[in-house]
Amino acid sequence: MTMPKMGESVMECTIISILKKVGERVEADESVFEVATDKVDTEVPSPFEGIIEEILVNQGDVVAIGSVVMRIQAAVAGQTAAAPVAVPTVEVPPAELVVLEQKMAELAPVAAAPVAKSVQGEGRFYSPLVLTIAKAEGISLAELESIAGSGAENRLTKNDILNYLKQITNNKLQIADNKYQIADSKLQIADSKPTVGPAQTTNLIPMDRMRRVIAGRMVESKRISAHVTSFVEADMTNVALWRNRTKEEFKKQTGESITFTPILIEAVVKAIKDFPLINVSVEGDNILQKRDINVGMAVALPNGNLIVPVIHNADQYSLIGLAKKVNELANRARANKLTADDLAGGTYTISNIGAFGNIMGTPIIVQPQVAIMAFGVIQKKPVVIETPQGDVFGVRQMMYLSHSYDHRVVDGALGGLFVKRVSDYLEGFDLERKLF
C-alpha cells in the first residue's frame, strides 16, 4: 500500500495516528491511517482486503505521497499488495551528532524523499518532524535523549516533545523568589516592590496547525498580489422577498434550508461568464485562463478557524443544486469531514461576511487566484427610488459588495465592472422565479 494522492500540490503528509496493528485484518476502503497535510486532516483507507503484515511508518513521520507505508497480504485472488520496499535508516555515530545538528539548521527545504528518513542517536530514532520541532525550540540531541517517549520501543513522538516544551515553559514561569505568580493559566505580574503603572495580565495561546497555515498563506498572498478593493451597493429587495416566500417550500421539498449564499454564487458565476479574464491565475509572466468555474466559499469553523471548500464546475448547477452543494460542503467542513479534493482547484472565491453582521470588508485573495468577493449584511435603508413619475424615497434592503483583486493582472476597469455586473444580476433577480 502506498500513500495516495491527497490533492493538488500536496507532496507529503504527516502521520497523526495509526488505526490498525500488524496481524489485524483490514477490509477494502477501511481507514488505516489518520494524516495531516497543509490543507486538511483526513483518514486514509486501505485499497486491499487482507491481513496487515508490516507497517513501515510511525506516528509523527512525514511521508512523501507515493511512498510505501504498509504491506498487506491480499485476501482476494488476483489482488496483490505493493512490492516490499526496504525502509532505509541513517545511523549517525555520536561524534558526528553535533555536526549533523548544525547542518540541519542550515538546510533549506528540499523535495520530499520517497520515504522520510529517521536519525538515530544513542539507541533511539527521531523522525524528521520531531527533529524540526527540536531545532525550532533550541533542544539539543542530548536533551532529546532525556525525554521519555510514548511510541513503540520508547520512540519520541510529536506529542511527547510538545508536552515536554509545555512543561519546561511552565517551570520557567515559576520563579523561586515569588516575584511572579501563575494563577488560572494567566501570567500575573505581582512584584512585591512598588511598580510604575498597573500590573499586566497575558494568556499564552499557541497557534494550532491550521491557524499557522492560515497565517502563512495570508501573509504570502499579501506579498504576492497587489491588492485593490472596489465597493458597490446592491438593492437586494427582490432576492430577500423571493427567499422569504420560497424557503418553507424549499425546506418541505428537499429537507434543507436555502440561504443567500447559493443565490450570490449564481450571480458570481454569471458575471464570470461575462468577464472570463477574472477567472485566471498568474504563472511567471503568463496569465492562465481557466475553462472551469470552480467557486470556493469561505466557511467559519467552530474553533474560529477558516476553511474554503470548492464547488467544482459551479456553472453546471441549478440554483437548487447550488443550495444543496453549499449545505453539504458547509456541514462537512464543520464536522471535519472534507477531503483534500474538496479544497483543491478553486478559481474564484466568495466570503459571506454578512452572516456575522459585517457591513463590508477587504478580503485577502486565495492564491493562486486573482480575485475574491465579500458580501456584507443585508440591511433595510431609506433610498431614492426612480419611477416614471419621478424620484421617491422608499425602504429597500441593501447590501455592500467588496471585490479585492490582483492589480498585477486585473485593472480597475475589469475589477470594478465585474463587481457591478454581480450587483446587476442580484438587483435584477426575478421575483416571480419558480423554485422547481
Side-chain angles (χ1 to χ4, degrees):
M1 172 184 171
T2 59
M3 185 59 67
K5 186 177 179 181
M6 294 290 167
E8 185 182 33
S9 77
V10 176
M11 303 301 297
E12 63 182 17
C13 61
T14 301
I15 305 294
I16 298 177
S17 61
I18 301 173
L19 307 178
K20 289 290 184 178
K21 297 179 181 179
V22 173
E24 286 189 342
R25 183 176 184 81
V26 63
E27 302 294 332
D29 296 325
E30 184 179 1
S31 297
V32 290
F33 296 111
E34 185 180 3
V35 302
T37 71
D38 64 347
K39 294 185 176 180
V40 70
D41 293 354
T42 187
E43 293 184 351
V44 177
S46 168
F48 309 113
E49 174 188 350
I51 305 298
I52 297 175
E53 289 190 341
E54 188 176 4
I55 298 174
L56 303 176
V57 294
N58 294 286
Q59 180 177 318
D61 283 355
V62 178
V63 180
I65 300 302
S67 300
V68 178
V69 292
M70 182 179 289
R71 295 184 186 138
I72 302 171
Q73 179 60 48
V76 180
Q79 221 179 22
T80 59
V85 175
V87 182
T89 59
V90 179
E91 297 189 5
V92 183
E96 299 180 14
L97 290 178
V98 174
V99 176
L100 173 63
E101 188 177 17
Q102 295 172 345
K103 291 296 183 182
M104 287 180 65
E106 299 171 0
L107 289 176
V110 296
V115 177
K117 294 182 174 64
S118 300
V119 174
Q120 185 179 27
E122 296 292 338
R124 279 178 102 180
F125 289 90
Y126 300 103
S127 70
L129 180 61
V130 168
L131 289 173
T132 299
I133 296 173
K135 290 281 95 187
E137 300 296 336
I139 299 176
S140 66
L141 288 177
E143 189 174 356
L144 283 179
E145 291 289 335
S146 66
I147 304 174
S150 62
E153 299 180 356
N154 196 34
R155 186 182 185 88
L156 195 65
T157 67
K158 177 185 72 173
N159 290 334
D160 294 331
I161 191 169
L162 292 179
N163 289 336
Y164 174 76
L165 289 169
K166 186 183 297 183
Q167 180 182 357
I168 63 175
T169 300
N170 290 337
N171 290 340
K172 289 178 181 179
L173 292 173
Q174 296 172 354
I175 308 300
D177 62 359
N178 293 325
K179 185 177 180 180
Y180 302 100
Q181 298 177 351
I182 305 296
D184 297 327
S185 301
K186 294 182 178 180
L187 183 61
Q188 299 179 342
I189 302 178
D191 196 337
S192 59
K193 298 180 180 180
T195 58
V196 178
Q200 296 183 2
T201 303
T202 60
N203 193 18
L204 180 65
I205 305 175
M207 289 186 184
D208 58 22
R209 187 184 61 82
M210 182 176 287
R211 176 50 54 188
R212 292 196 301 271
V213 170
I214 292 172
R217 287 180 176 173
M218 293 300 97
V219 172
E220 185 71 0
S221 181
K222 294 291 284 187
R223 184 191 68 81
I224 292 173
S225 296
H227 281 65
V228 176
T229 306
S230 295
F231 303 91
V232 166
E233 190 174 22
D235 186 341
M236 295 288 288
T237 304
N238 282 0
V239 172
L241 290 174
W242 181 86
R243 175 182 172 271
N244 289 336
R245 191 175 65 191
T246 59
K247 63 182 180 181
E248 293 300 329
E249 181 185 356
F250 185 85
K251 181 78 171 180
K252 182 179 179 180
Q253 295 289 338
T254 67
E256 299 186 54
S257 301
I258 183 168
T259 64
F260 287 106
T261 301
I263 301 173
L264 301 176
I265 292 175
E266 182 186 58
V268 166
V269 169
K270 290 180 178 179
I272 288 175
K273 290 182 176 180
D274 294 341
F275 297 96
L277 287 180
I278 210 74
N279 198 48
V280 303
S281 63
V282 180
E283 187 176 279
D285 293 331
N286 298 315
I287 299 173
L288 304 181
Q289 184 175 343
K290 308 300 178 66
R291 282 178 281 189
D292 295 334
I293 300 177
N294 302 332
V295 179
M297 59 174 197
V299 176
L301 301 179
N303 62 4
N305 287 327
L306 188 71
I307 199 165
V308 184
V310 176
I311 300 176
H312 296 90
N313 300 305
D315 55 319
Q316 299 179 17
Y317 287 86
S318 65
L319 181 59
I320 306 304
L322 283 174
K324 292 181 177 180
K325 191 66 176 178
V326 165
N327 291 343
E328 174 205 341
L329 288 175
N331 291 334
R332 287 204 285 124
R334 296 183 182 110
N336 196 28
K337 297 295 184 181
L338 292 175
T339 67
D341 288 337
D342 292 326
L343 306 172
T347 61
Y348 190 91
T349 298
I350 71 158
S351 180
N352 188 5
I353 62 175
F356 312 112
N358 296 168
I359 298 174
M360 65 176 69
T362 53
I364 297 177
I365 299 166
V366 178
Q367 298 296 324
Q369 301 167 31
V370 300
I372 180 174
M373 188 170 296
F375 298 94
V377 66
I378 299 174
Q379 294 179 315
K380 291 182 179 180
K381 291 183 178 181
V383 298
V384 176
I385 304 172
E386 295 182 359
T387 71
Q389 293 75 32
D391 297 341
V392 297
F393 279 106
V395 177
R396 307 293 288 178
Q397 302 205 48
M398 308 299 291
M399 178 186 73
Y400 284 105
L401 291 72
S402 310
H403 188 217
S404 292
Y405 45 93
D406 187 346
H407 216 330
R408 294 180 303 165
V409 292
V410 180
D411 291 328
L414 175 58
L417 287 172
F418 180 81
V419 66
K420 183 62 172 63
R421 184 62 54 86
V422 175
S423 171
D424 291 342
Y425 280 123
L426 293 172
E427 291 186 342
F429 192 89
D430 184 4
L431 191 57
E432 303 301 321
R433 181 173 180 172
K434 300 298 183 183
L435 187 59
F436 296 99

